[in-house]
Amino acid sequence: MFRPKFISFDCYGTMINFIMGPTAREIFADRVDPSEMEPFLASFRAYRLDEVLGAWKPFHDVVANSIERTCRKHGVIFEAKDAQALYDAVPTWQPHPDVPGPLSRIADHYPLVILSNSMVDLIPYSARNIGVPFHAVLTAEEAGAYKPLMRPFEYMFDRLGCSPEVMMHVSSSPRYDLMTAHDLGFGAKVFVDRGHEPPTEHYGLTRIRDFNDLPALLGL
């Protein structure tokens, strides 16, 4: 059984219920026809990924650019307050119900790390909402790059003073996290299948249904 020196976690989607899509659905309910809402939200999701692959920019700009591009594509009126409302919602989001209990058990035995595509003004709210002590909380802002680029992971290795071979990374996103974790050679990679990305058996992933399955992987 692999016993990691550190366990790193994606935050939004994996631990925090990432409701950017549902929030946008509410904001644009008066401007997007119900029959067009799913394609609209799919575009918003795709543009967010595209935005983080370029030069680093504040997450507010990632959100603003993504939703503006989405509106342009779908012929919807965009207002700056739409992006601000989406950004301001992030600190209010709560953890998935399965997260706090199992994570508290693990925290008694392993140092836990958040590696998030977030900002230093946002992540303290989310970490506090999770309610579990973390050894380190690291953001894309500090790294100067967003996942799935390698630089945030390399920043984490430097901060922790360790190599990926002794770490486990846990995420609900193969695209943003686990493919890169595979390429970097993490000792273990755990895919929390929350249904927002297609499951995959590739990249040496251990697939679990939720955090209730995680302690057993660690001998707890």
Side-chain angles (χ1 to χ4, degrees):
M1 179 179 296
F2 180 66
R3 296 189 178 277
K5 185 173 181 180
F6 297 98
I7 307 174
S8 53
F9 295 84
D10 170 57
C11 184
Y12 300 113
T14 303
M15 295 189 293
I16 292 288
N17 188 10
F18 187 76
I19 54 173
M20 187 71 78
T23 304
R25 184 190 299 273
E26 294 179 7
I27 293 171
F28 288 92
D30 62 340
R31 281 170 278 170
V32 178
D33 188 88
S35 65
E36 295 297 320
M37 185 60 79
E38 292 309 318
F40 180 86
L41 296 178
S43 294
F44 183 32
R45 183 168 56 249
Y47 282 130
R48 290 199 305 273
L49 176 60
D50 188 65
E51 284 289 329
V52 301
L53 293 175
W56 186 86
K57 59 180 76 71
F59 187 64
H60 180 278
D61 295 354
V62 170
V63 173
N65 293 349
S66 300
I67 197 63
E68 184 175 14
R69 293 170 73 185
T70 299
C71 288
R72 189 183 312 124
K73 177 178 180 178
H74 292 270
V76 174
I77 295 173
F78 167 77
E79 300 178 17
K81 67 180 183 179
D82 301 326
Q84 192 63 49
L86 287 164
Y87 188 82
D88 290 345
V90 176
T92 71
W93 297 343
Q94 299 299 309
H96 291 284
D98 58 278
V99 170
L103 203 60
S104 294
R105 289 178 56 198
I106 296 169
D108 290 335
H109 301 272
Y110 294 93
L112 310 181
V113 178
I114 291 178
L115 180 63
S116 176
N117 276 359
S118 191
M119 301 282 289
V120 295
D121 68 328
L122 291 180
I123 201 65
Y125 295 96
S126 300
R128 186 162 58 246
N129 290 344
I130 295 168
V132 173
F134 289 95
H135 174 79
V137 178
L138 309 175
T139 67
E141 181 179 8
E142 295 165 291
Y146 290 98
K147 300 176 294 180
L149 298 178
M150 290 184 176
R151 192 184 308 168
F153 292 92
E154 294 169 335
Y155 172 76
M156 176 174 66
F157 304 148
D158 289 343
R159 283 288 303 270
L160 298 177
C162 73
S163 64
E165 291 82 6
V166 300
M167 294 189 63
M168 171 186 284
H169 190 64
V170 181
S171 177
S172 61
S173 176
R175 270 184 119 174
Y176 277 89
D177 283 80
L178 296 170
M179 293 179 183
T180 307
H182 167 79
D183 292 343
L184 287 169
F186 273 75
K189 302 163 292 292
V190 179
F191 172 40
V192 186
D193 189 357
R194 298 215 181 269
H196 50 248
E197 287 190 20
T200 176
E201 305 304 324
H202 302 288
Y203 305 105
L205 308 182
T206 298
R207 181 179 170 188
I208 62 175
R209 57 185 177 86
D210 60 37
F211 269 56
N212 289 303
D213 296 332
L214 190 55
L217 298 181
L218 297 160
L220 303 176

